[in-house]
Amino acid sequence: MRVEAILSGKQAAALRRDGVDLALKRVDGQSVAQRATLQAADGFNVFRQYSGAGGLKEEFEEAADDNRKITKLVTYGQSLNGEDIIALKVSKNADRDRDGRKPAVLYLGAQHAREWITPEMIRRLMHYVLDGYEDGDKTIRRLVDRNELWFVPVANPDGYDFSFGPGQRLWRKNLRDNNGDGN
């Protein structure tokens, strides 16, 4: 029987000690982590980190600033490393109306660190809604005027940003040391 799994070095060592034969999966002669790292080095950079200059957090702050009539930026928590976790509320009178007054929907990305596509989808949807409202799209105006749309680009900023580091593309979790071993 053949099984594919993503394992830590310790997990792989334990399985080898138990007599399990392991082989690193390769695509065109490269490990998946090596391949992702090389793609990023070659300019495949549609995905951006959450924090820092040019990051998603900064873009959402700018979107809130540019669309004050229909947005409210909320910091709803902090990550283990002290990074603000933000949500952008989009609704008519977003800053004046009590949260939850209207029907609401939540768009949440990157609960798991390596879910790079979800923040990008949420970023694009946020811009689609904001641009459509500004351009007078009747459907979007009705949606925004009658509802609350909440956009959370990254729910796990520490793990998400960590997954951009060399060799960490497949990192899945946050950075909490669950077992106290310092790793």
Side-chain angles (χ1 to χ4, degrees), residues 13 25 28 37 43 56 66 72 91 102 122 139 163 174:
K25 180 179 178 177
D28 295 330
T37 300
L56 293 167
D66 292 344
K72 177 173 90 169
S91 183
K102 301 174 189 173
I122 289 167
T139 302
S163 72
N174 59 29

Side-chain angles (χ1 to χ4, degrees), residues 81-174:
N81 289 343
E83 184 69 55
D84 286 342
I85 306 172
I86 59 159
L88 182 70
K89 176 184 177 183
V90 178
S91 183
K92 185 177 182 180
N93 301 318
D95 61 339
R96 293 191 308 256
D97 286 350
R98 177 183 51 84
D99 297 344
R101 187 176 151 266
K102 301 174 189 173
V105 64
L106 172 66
Y107 302 99
L108 179 122
Q111 183 171 338
H112 297 108
R114 65 181 176 228
E115 295 171 349
W116 287 7
I117 192 64
T118 58
E120 182 62 19
M121 291 168 43
I122 289 167
R123 183 189 77 78
R124 290 180 188 204
L125 180 59
M126 176 212 43
H127 282 296
Y128 178 80
V129 169
L130 295 176
D131 293 346
Y133 194 89
E134 185 177 317
D135 293 342
D137 182 301
K138 289 179 184 180
T139 302
I140 291 179
R141 280 194 170 261
R142 189 175 331 111
L143 179 71
V144 169
D145 289 349
R146 297 179 183 177
N147 300 280
E148 294 177 8
L149 302 142
W150 288 89
F151 297 91
V152 177
V154 177
N156 173 11
D158 296 341
Y160 179 75
D161 281 353
F162 183 75
S163 72
F164 281 81
Q168 300 302 329
R169 176 61 187 98
L170 298 179
W171 184 262
R172 181 175 172 265
K173 307 255 182 211
N174 59 29

Side-chain angles (χ1 to χ4, degrees), residues 6-31:
I6 298 172
L7 306 170
S8 69
K10 289 181 182 182
Q11 291 169 325
L15 287 173
R16 284 189 181 100
R17 280 192 304 274
D18 290 340
V20 177
D21 290 326
L22 300 177
L24 184 63
K25 180 179 178 177
R26 298 200 173 272
V27 177
D28 295 330
Q30 300 169 328
S31 73

Side-chain angles (χ1 to χ4, degrees), residues 73-88:
L73 192 69
V74 176
T75 298
Y76 70 92
Q78 286 194 320
S79 71
L80 185 67
N81 289 343
E83 184 69 55
D84 286 342
I85 306 172
I86 59 159
L88 182 70

